[in-house]
Amino acid sequence: MATILDGKAHADRMLETVRQGVEVRLAKGLRAPGLAVVLVGEDPASQVYVRNKSAACAKVGITSIEHRLPADTAQADLDALIDRLNADSGVDGILVQLPLPQGLDSKRALHRISPAKDVDGFHPVNQGLLLEGLPGLRPCTPSACMSLLAHHGVELKGIRAVVLGRSEIVGKPMALMLLEQHATVTIAHSRTKDLAGICREADLLVAAVGRPGLVEGSWIKPGAVVVDVGINRVEDEILGGRIFAQEPKKLDTLRTKGGVLCGDVRYGEAMAVASAVTPVPGGVGPLTIAGLLTNALAAANREV
Ligand code: GUN
């Protein structure tokens, strides 16, 4: 039976480090870090994320400033707000919540944020610094996953790592961070031939594709470490019956509540083959906010 890599516990450790860092600033007579969160429109999932971010900021002493704009906001008005936040000396970090409503160009918005305040690590300058292996603000989810792996003493040097997914938010930066730690990295994706065979070679498998239960137990090399970045809601009982064959509790929740959260990996099957697995929920999910607040403190301290 694999070890459960508890993301919530690690997120709490990371948040405690941030809280102490904020205290050090205050003891020096500096102000608390300021994080501006821009939410355009009414996307329900985004509203939940933003609420969770504000609550986490309050816990660690970071000042969170929310800017809510209507869904029909013009790009020029979003640009103007970002310009104002870039120029505001009380704002250390700026996060524009994604996805933006239709009609708004997210790349244009993300590229407009000052790289020094880009706490998401999505600006091309920060992505370029990561590519070069130089310090910069790095994407929160992969940074926090690296921190989780380091905490659990997972050896990366020389191992075969497979990253399933090629997004700019997770897959690509995760691959670069693993490469920096001397792993031999393969990025696999929806067009990869023999996905199962590629995954089966991985000593470390990172799944970040957003496909519920895609990774079966038979895709996992015995003793591998599995990091499941996917957070999917499954409502279909036929799909649930297939992917939760080894997780009767999930299947039960799906049947009684009409839906259940799960990752990209079939957790029950993975637990029987792997040496360590992140659960969903309670794995990578809580780490993203911890990574964000770590970046907000670093931006305030101008450490990167
Ligand atoms: N929407 C969902 N996740 C994220 C994230 O990490 N950053 C931003 N800006 N938007 C998101």
Side-chain angles (χ1 to χ4, degrees):
M1 196 72 162
T3 304
I4 297 171
L5 299 174
D6 186 340
K8 172 75 174 70
H10 191 62
D12 286 344
R13 281 189 286 273
M14 290 176 71
L15 289 173
E16 176 55 19
T17 304
V18 175
R19 197 191 60 74
Q20 288 172 13
V22 173
E23 268 189 4
V24 168
R25 280 181 63 84
L26 298 178
K28 285 184 189 160
L30 299 168
R31 59 167 175 71
L35 173 65
V37 176
V38 179
L39 177 60
V40 189
E42 312 276 327
D43 179 62
S46 291
Q47 288 181 340
V48 174
Y49 286 139
V50 167
R51 211 178 314 128
N52 290 345
K53 278 169 199 159
S54 300
C57 281
K59 263 200 232 163
V60 300
I62 290 180
T63 307
S64 158
I65 314 130
E66 276 179 33
H67 294 267
R68 288 174 183 261
L69 301 177
D72 62 356
T73 296
Q75 188 91 35
D77 291 332
L78 179 58
D79 288 352
L81 173 60
I82 294 170
D83 291 349
R84 243 186 326 112
L85 296 172
N86 281 338
D88 185 338
S89 60
V91 171
D92 300 294
I94 304 168
L95 179 142
V96 174
Q97 183 66 32
L98 301 176
L100 288 173
Q102 276 212 333
L104 287 174
D105 180 345
S106 24
K107 285 259 181 213
R108 177 166 148 184
L110 297 177
H111 290 196
R112 205 166 178 103
I113 296 171
S114 160
K117 297 189 177 188
D118 166 39
V119 283
D120 260 326
F122 295 164
H123 191 282
V125 166
N126 284 316
Q127 301 253 11
L129 289 168
L130 170 61
L131 188 72
E132 292 198 350
L134 293 171
L137 290 165
R138 294 183 168 192
C140 310
T141 304
S143 310
C145 287
M146 293 300 284
S147 170
L148 177 76
L149 293 171
H151 176 81
H152 287 277
V154 175
E155 175 66 78
L156 298 175
K157 201 186 293 179
I159 69 157
R160 188 73 197 267
V162 172
V163 178
L164 201 44
R166 53 177 159 177
S167 73
E168 267 138 45
I169 295 179
V170 183
K172 285 186 201 171
M174 186 79 207
L176 290 169
M177 289 179 207
L178 291 167
L179 186 61
E180 188 178 42
Q181 295 304 315
H182 315 291
T184 300
V185 184
T186 301
I187 303 178
H189 47 79
S190 52
R191 312 275 174 89
T192 297
K193 289 187 179 142
D194 188 20
L195 205 48
I198 298 277
C199 290
R200 226 175 273 126
E201 292 173 5
D203 302 305
L204 169 68
L205 180 60
V206 180
V209 280
R211 295 263 312 272
L214 174 72
V215 177
E216 302 173 21
S218 65
W219 293 26
I220 298 169
K221 179 175 171 178
V225 173
V226 179
V227 174
D228 190 351
V229 183
I231 302 179
N232 313 292
R233 186 175 157 83
V234 171
E235 295 179 352
D236 184 297
E237 282 202 26
I238 296 169
L239 174 65
R242 236 183 20 247
I243 66 179
F244 302 136
Q246 306 298 319
E247 290 178 272
K249 271 194 193 156
K250 283 255 195 223
L251 197 51
D252 204 41
T253 309
L254 167 56
R255 287 188 176 138
T256 53
K257 301 246 165 85
V260 68
L261 284 185
C262 73
D264 293 345
V265 177
R266 299 186 188 188
Y267 179 74
E269 297 179 21
M271 285 297 285
V273 189
S275 64
V277 184
T278 60
V280 178
V284 174
L287 291 170
T288 299
I289 288 183
L292 173 72
L293 301 196
T294 302
N295 277 353
L297 175 65
N301 289 344
R302 295 195 168 76
E303 277 169 354
V304 287

